[in-house]
Amino acid sequence: MQAEQENIWASAESHSHAPNTSNQEQASTQENVVGLGKEEVKKALKPSGLDKLRIEGGAVLKGEIPISGAKNAALKIMCATLLTDQPVTLTNMPVTLNDIKTLAQLLKHIGVSVLARHDKTAVLHARTIETPVAPYDLVRKMRGSILVLGPLLARHGFAEVSLPGGCAIGARPVDFHIKGLEAMGAKILIEDGYIKATTEGGLKGATYTFPKVSHTGTENLMMAATLAKGTTILKNAAREPEVTNLADCLRQMGANITGDGTDTITIEGVESLHGATHAVMPDRIETATWMIGAALTNGSLRLKNANLDHLTALVAPLEKTGVQIEADGNDILVSRSGEKLIGTDIMTDPYPGFPTDIQAQFLTMLTLCEGAGMVTETIFENRFMHVPELCRMGADITIQGNSAIVRGVEKLKGAEVMATDLRASASLVLAALVAEGTTTINRIYHLDRGYEDIVGKLGNVGAKIERV
Ligand code: UD1
């Protein structure tokens, strides 16, 4: 309970720009950034602000950027803490991201005590499950909330989770999550926009083959299976490093999982899980975004605490365009020699293929390459929303079906543009860094969901960027 009293998220609720806090408030925010009372749930539901980013183009990015812990690993690992009544300590947590704060709100609502510190450590303790419900207002803010379904059902035998609905990049159904849990013996009703799931006598191990590779589907079922009776085999499973990072955490908690990182994952259910300490992996999408930033601006960056092994699908086409990339221990060095970049083609695919979450940023780079490049999106049906905005900045892009043909132009020009989703927003930031003149990016709450301290990190390596 001590931890709860120390929780003071209210003063750290705003986004990565520093609010005007008194010295006393600043001192207290040093300790915890995620305070999670009922009042904060209300605050979390308020619009995230209408901040804009103003970027003056033309800077060459040079220096070091520390890479944050991966949002897409941290979210799932936070949900995994629902599987035990003991505390779980997580390090390298991207504690200031809005998606992370939203999930912390949801976990608090469920009954988890949550403490997060500025040293990027979080302690989550699901001593009891008080309210096994994920309400619409929190799920609509963050689709990843669907990942409480598997753990709640496995531990508590009952869960009600709002259906996430579609989002800007596509319909994004969750039918595989539901069918997989049904295969494990869950009874599931869809009623009033909610998934209402129960089990009689607990989940049972089963074999489930995903009709199509699903990243979060794999994670939801893998978590559920840790406490099921018997063996679960997930076939055509996602192979993303985030799945392995989650499996590592679950193993630390006592789960029996093998095969993660391949397309067949086997989980032997155990009686109960226990507390653990686990480090969140580096964010490979943030890493990729700044690698492309170095390439685009003719710069040279050292990306600290990153993992190049997770980015082989990006390294090959980046090197083909003319970028130099090198691993140095836990750092990645990226530079461009000054030569013009050459256009090349990419196609998104489940890991280890080219990540859909890097498609928009790569496309931005192609706008200034010599020749042309084609970007084909195979994961989501509506993921070219950054294209009209880039065209307003002078890019030459034609969309044909699920491909975009990008013909290199001499320069981009600053404009007022609109961020539409998380990665599209990152692509506009990259475009603004090289565009002639000033670009104002509206609706940057998308960026605050997934990029920690973007103004500070880019400002430190030479970008002229401010939040207005
Ligand atoms: C996750 C990532 C997201 C990334 C995506 C693909 C998180 C929080 N999100 O999203 O950043 O872009 O993987 O790597 O980690 N599908 C179904 N039914 C389902 C589930 C998925 O039809 O039940 C379809 C989707 O519509 C999509 C494809 O399968 O076309 C892949 O989706 P999936 O891998 O599940 O994406 P997310 O887990 O939503």
Side-chain angles (χ1 to χ4, degrees):
M1 283 302 100
Q2 164 109 19
E4 291 217 27
Q5 278 157 24
E6 286 171 1
N7 273 334
I8 41 153
W9 184 58
S11 56
E13 183 207 10
S14 58
H15 318 305
S16 44
H17 63 308
N20 285 330
T21 46
S22 67
N23 284 346
Q24 202 182 359
E25 281 173 322
Q26 278 175 355
S28 51
T29 50
Q30 292 294 306
E31 191 58 13
N32 307 302
V33 293
V34 186
L36 298 158
K38 299 273 182 212
E39 275 306 303
E40 277 72 47
V41 174
K42 280 191 207 144
K43 282 184 187 155
L45 305 182
K46 280 203 237 152
S48 310
L50 298 170
D51 291 3
K52 302 175 182 193
L53 273 187
R54 191 185 293 140
I55 299 173
E56 192 71 38
V60 174
L61 300 187
K62 279 209 168 106
E64 293 183 358
I65 301 184
I67 297 300
S68 293
K71 166 179 89 74
N72 283 352
L75 290 173
K76 298 53 180 294
I77 293 166
M78 287 169 78
C79 293
T81 68
L82 287 168
L83 289 162
T84 173
D85 62 4
Q86 295 179 16
V88 177
T89 301
L90 304 175
T91 60
N92 199 32
M93 277 285 289
V95 288
T96 60
L97 289 180
N98 279 352
D99 271 9
I100 297 292
K101 290 181 188 175
T102 304
L103 182 62
Q105 296 296 320
L106 172 58
L107 293 176
K108 172 71 184 174
H109 173 82
I110 290 170
V112 184
S113 98
V114 179
L115 172 73
R117 287 191 289 261
H118 272 294
D119 68 358
K120 298 184 178 295
T121 302
V123 183
L124 291 88
H125 190 180
R127 199 188 310 263
T128 53
I129 305 291
E130 285 164 18
T131 317
V133 178
Y136 174 69
D137 276 335
L138 287 169
V139 177
R140 86 182 154 82
K141 277 176 75 94
M142 214 275 295
R143 300 180 50 82
S145 308
I146 185 74
L147 284 148
V148 300
L149 179 63
L152 280 179
L153 202 53
R155 161 115 178 255
H156 191 71
F158 173 73
E160 251 185 59
V161 176
S162 170
L163 277 166
C167 77
I169 63 174
R172 300 185 82 177
V174 289
D175 50 328
F176 308 157
H177 302 235
I178 292 171
K179 290 199 178 102
L181 290 170
E182 282 176 340
M184 294 165 75
K187 298 262 174 302
I188 298 187
L189 250 179
I190 307 290
E191 213 172 54
D192 308 325
Y194 276 75
I195 304 165
K196 299 182 177 175
T198 51
T199 63
E200 267 167 37
L203 293 171
K204 292 169 193 67
T207 296
Y208 181 73
T209 305
F210 287 92
K212 187 174 172 186
V213 178
S214 166
H215 183 170
T216 52
T218 300
E219 293 163 329
N220 225 345
L221 298 188
M222 184 170 78
M223 287 192 278
T226 58
L227 294 180
K229 285 195 188 71
T231 308
T232 299
I233 301 175
L234 301 177
K235 294 189 173 170
N236 198 24
R239 293 187 274 166
E240 267 79 355
E242 290 81 5
V243 176
T244 298
N245 198 223
L246 170 64
D248 283 340
C249 179
L250 291 166
R251 277 188 286 262
Q252 295 275 358
M253 294 166 68
N256 187 348
I257 302 171
T258 51
D260 48 291
T262 76
D263 64 1
T264 305
I265 303 178
T266 304
I267 307 112
E268 298 285 348
V270 294
E271 203 50 46
S272 64
L273 297 182
H274 51 73
T277 297
H278 174 76
V280 175
M281 61 176 267
D283 194 317
R284 64 192 168 103
I285 309 301
E286 187 199 9
T287 309
T289 304
W290 305 146
M291 284 169 79
I292 293 170
L296 253 179
T297 63
N298 218 343
S300 139
L301 289 176
R302 173 180 286 270
L303 304 173
K304 304 224 25 114
N305 189 24
N307 189 340
L308 196 56
D309 293 343
H310 295 162
L311 286 161
T312 41
L314 171 69
V315 169
L318 260 190
E319 285 183 338
K320 219 165 148 190
T321 60
V323 182
Q324 283 87 49
I325 303 161
E326 205 187 309
D328 181 19
N330 288 337
D331 297 351
I332 299 174
L333 308 175
V334 197
S335 60
R336 180 176 139 200
S337 60
E339 301 287 314
K340 201 146 181 156
L341 296 170
I342 311 292
T344 187
D345 300 345
I346 53 150
M347 182 166 85
T348 65
D349 226 1
Y351 193 85
F354 193 97
T356 173
D357 283 354
I358 312 177
Q359 176 260 99
Q361 300 89 313
F362 197 90
L363 188 151
T364 293
M365 190 185 67
L366 290 178
T367 63
L368 293 171
C369 282
E370 201 158 271
M374 185 159 79
V375 173
T376 304
E377 171 62 53
T378 69
I379 313 283
F380 295 114
E381 62 269 33
N382 191 20
R383 214 166 190 185
F384 283 129
M385 297 212 302
H386 42 294
V387 165
E389 298 302 296
L390 290 171
C391 289
R392 293 184 54 244
M393 296 176 74
D396 179 353
I397 309 165
T398 311
I399 296 181
Q400 269 173 10
N402 63 344
S403 293
I405 295 129
V406 189
R407 293 183 181 84
V409 293
E410 266 313 302
K411 63 181 178 198
L412 296 178
K413 280 194 161 178
E416 179 142 5
V417 292
M418 185 80 81
T420 49
D421 73 60
L422 175 54
R423 307 306 171 186
S425 310
S427 78
L428 295 177
V429 170
L430 292 175
L433 288 171
V434 273
E436 196 177 271
T438 306
T439 298
T440 307
I441 305 175
N442 293 285
R443 293 199 189 163
I444 55 158
Y445 51 82
H446 292 294
L447 282 167
D448 295 328
R449 288 183 38 223
Y451 288 87
E452 279 197 311
D453 189 21
I454 195 163
V455 171
K457 286 188 183 187
L458 285 177
N460 281 343
V461 293
K464 293 189 192 103
I465 176 170
E466 60 175 345
R467 192 183 276 263
V468 290

